[in-house]
Amino acid sequence: MARWGRKAKKPWYSEGVPFTCLPGCGRCCDQPGGVVYLTKDDAKRVAEHLEMDVEEWLERDCRRSSDGRWVLSSNKKDGSCIYLQEDRGCGIYPSKPAQCSAFPWWNENMRSDRDWRKTVALCPGLVHPDAEVISLPVIQMHLEADAEAEKGFREWND
């Protein structure tokens, strides 16, 4: 029970939200100006998947955000993710960053009705007839992963 005896308000998504990731969609990866923050675990996992040293991978496929956090580089031609393939699949799917796995359950998407409506307009998996209801605990897990990824890291020292 919340302070003063009032019940805490449940989040609008407390009953779950229908979603399925559609093969060949890639809409979450082709947005110009999109930023994917990286955790140290992401850097280790992706570099290992690509059979590279972390430092080498950071230099080749990443850049610094304005505040110094490491983020994935974008395709210079269209601003999409550098790992988005022609078939709209992910070139590093088995090792993709936690923030990618958390989509559409990003804190910035869930904070208001307006933000959520923009996400629904972007992501056909949220309105697909075969979408399964994603439960509150799973959504919360993704929101936590997104929050952790947004913290990012500035220095690599393993």
Side-chain angles (χ1 to χ4, degrees):
M1 203 179 263
R3 219 167 120 171
W4 307 173
R6 290 183 286 168
K7 289 185 180 180
K9 184 179 175 184
K10 290 182 181 180
W12 64 265
Y13 47 87
S14 64
E15 300 300 318
V17 178
F19 173 69
T20 187
C21 189
L22 299 171
C25 172
R27 296 283 313 274
C28 53
C29 306
D30 70 2
Q31 300 303 300
V35 176
V36 175
Y37 293 101
L38 301 165
T39 65
K40 285 187 172 187
D41 286 342
D42 292 332
K44 287 180 199 174
R45 192 175 52 257
V46 176
E48 183 178 295
H49 175 80
L50 296 172
E51 299 177 351
M52 298 175 73
D53 291 330
V54 173
E55 295 90 345
E56 178 187 8
W57 176 73
L58 288 170
E59 188 65 32
R60 187 187 84 175
D61 291 355
C62 302
R63 64 177 177 81
R64 299 280 190 150
S65 66
S66 59
D67 67 358
R69 290 176 286 175
W70 284 104
V71 297
L72 280 183
S73 290
S74 297
N75 185 320
K76 292 186 188 329
K77 182 177 74 178
D78 62 8
S80 65
C81 177
I82 60 171
Y83 295 119
L84 182 62
Q85 299 176 318
E86 283 187 34
D87 67 358
R88 311 288 291 158
C90 176
I92 59 167
Y93 187 84
S95 63
K96 67 183 175 180
Q99 194 171 27
C100 297
S101 295
F103 187 86
W105 321 114
W106 290 351
N107 290 285
E108 69 184 72
N109 294 343
M110 309 289 283
R111 69 179 162 222
S112 73
D113 186 55
R114 180 179 181 207
D115 292 326
W116 185 248
R117 283 194 317 264
K118 285 198 273 187
T119 305
V120 171
L122 168 72
C123 179
L126 291 165
V127 294
H128 195 274
D130 295 333
E132 295 182 23
V133 174
I134 307 302
S135 68
L136 178 61
V138 172
I139 293 171
Q140 288 173 323
M141 176 191 69
H142 288 305
L143 289 169
E144 290 167 12
D146 175 57
E148 188 63 30
E150 278 195 31
K151 291 177 189 173
F153 72 97
R154 291 169 176 81
E155 299 297 325
W156 177 257
N157 51 3
D158 187 39

